[in-house]
Amino acid sequence: MDIATAAGTPITSIATGTVVYSGWKGSYGNLIIIDHGNGIQSYYAHCNALYVSTGQTVDSNTTI
């Protein structure tokens, strides 16, 4: 599912997980990938800024 929002809107994770990628990724621009376990990952592309680092644990209250 792809959900769009206005530029500058704070983004939070859909659920608790571990950041497995945080950086520039070609056509995705700034990309964050969060692993939620059991084979589930969420992708957050075209981010204006990156507030999390690879290896960091996040939850639905963490601005990423």
Side-chain angles (χ1 to χ4, degrees):
M1 178 185 315
D2 191 2
I3 301 171
T5 189
T9 301
I11 301 168
T12 57
S13 175
I14 60 166
T16 299
T18 302
V19 177
V20 294
Y21 186 86
S22 180
W24 182 262
K25 190 75 165 177
S27 62
Y28 285 109
N30 283 324
L31 174 68
I32 298 166
I33 303 174
I34 300 174
D35 187 340
H36 304 284
N38 296 318
I40 298 173
Q41 292 185 330
S42 55
Y43 285 56
Y44 304 86
H46 311 294
C47 300
N48 288 335
L50 302 171
Y51 298 110
V52 294
S53 302
T54 301
Q56 183 175 341
T57 300
V58 298
D59 60 28
S60 59
N61 295 315
T62 306
T63 299
I64 58 171

